[in-house]
């Protein structure tokens, strides 16, 4: 194990080499935040990112991250702003369309995992 600084709270912690890449406190906070967002979206179908962000105080970027990680999906019939990283096709979740997933796999590039 090595000691690294948490990118969220800037405290040092023992990194075991596995996700999550933040300390246990921030990891728990993020997990709780995700479940709150998920429940809000279930109860308020069709809510926009702006509505979810304002209602819950969750940054837009965090909601987009959940979409890119395939933890949330844009409702069918809603205007989608996500595009496949390979071909540019409009998608509702993740980083690749179904065709590109078959061709390139589901693996998320490390630059996206790190939030770059």
């Amino acid at each position: 194990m090595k000691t690294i600084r948490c990118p969220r709270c800037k405290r040092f912690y023992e990194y075991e080499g596995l996700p999550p890449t933040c300390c246990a406190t921030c990891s728990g906070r993020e997990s709780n935040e995700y479940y709150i967002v998920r429940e809000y979206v279930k109860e308020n179908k069709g809510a926009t990112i702006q509505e979810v962000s304002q209602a819950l105080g969750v940054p837009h970027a965090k909601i987009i991250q959940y979409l890119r990680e395939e933890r949330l999906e844009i409702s069918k019939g809603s205007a989608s702003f996500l595009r496949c990283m390979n071909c540019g096709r409009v998608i509702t979740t993740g980083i690749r369309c179904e065709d590109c997933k078959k061709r390139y796999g589901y693996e998320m590039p490390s630059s996206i995992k790190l939030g770059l």
Side-chain angles (χ1 to χ4, degrees):
M1 277 194 274
K2 65 180 182 177
T3 302
I4 63 171
R5 187 179 295 262
C6 176
R8 293 187 177 93
C9 68
K10 307 302 183 210
R11 287 181 277 171
F12 287 97
Y13 73 101
E14 295 296 318
Y15 179 64
E16 299 175 8
L18 301 171
T21 55
C22 57
C23 70
T25 302
C26 291
S27 177
R29 191 175 301 135
E30 175 157 333
S31 179
N32 185 46
E33 191 174 69
Y34 163 70
Y35 287 109
I36 291 170
V37 169
R38 187 180 78 175
E39 289 305 310
Y40 183 87
V41 170
K42 277 184 182 178
E43 293 171 10
N44 299 278
K45 295 196 184 303
T48 66
I49 289 178
Q50 291 79 11
E51 291 169 348
V52 176
S53 179
Q54 284 182 327
L56 303 177
V58 176
H60 291 85
K62 185 62 69 178
I63 298 167
I64 292 170
Q65 177 184 340
Y66 297 150
L67 289 164
R68 289 294 190 186
E69 293 172 348
E70 296 188 7
R71 295 168 80 183
L72 294 177
E73 184 173 355
I74 296 172
S75 300
K76 299 209 184 318
S78 296
S80 182
F81 57 89
L82 296 177
R83 297 206 170 264
C84 175
M85 289 182 62
N86 294 99
C87 68
R89 185 179 297 160
V90 174
I91 56 176
T92 58
T93 190
I95 60 167
R96 292 189 174 110
C97 67
E98 291 302 316
D99 291 339
C100 289
K101 283 179 187 176
K102 290 174 188 169
R103 186 176 306 141
Y104 302 107
Y106 287 84
E107 184 80 14
M108 187 175 290
S110 58
S111 61
I112 292 195
K113 289 179 188 174
L114 298 174
L116 302 175

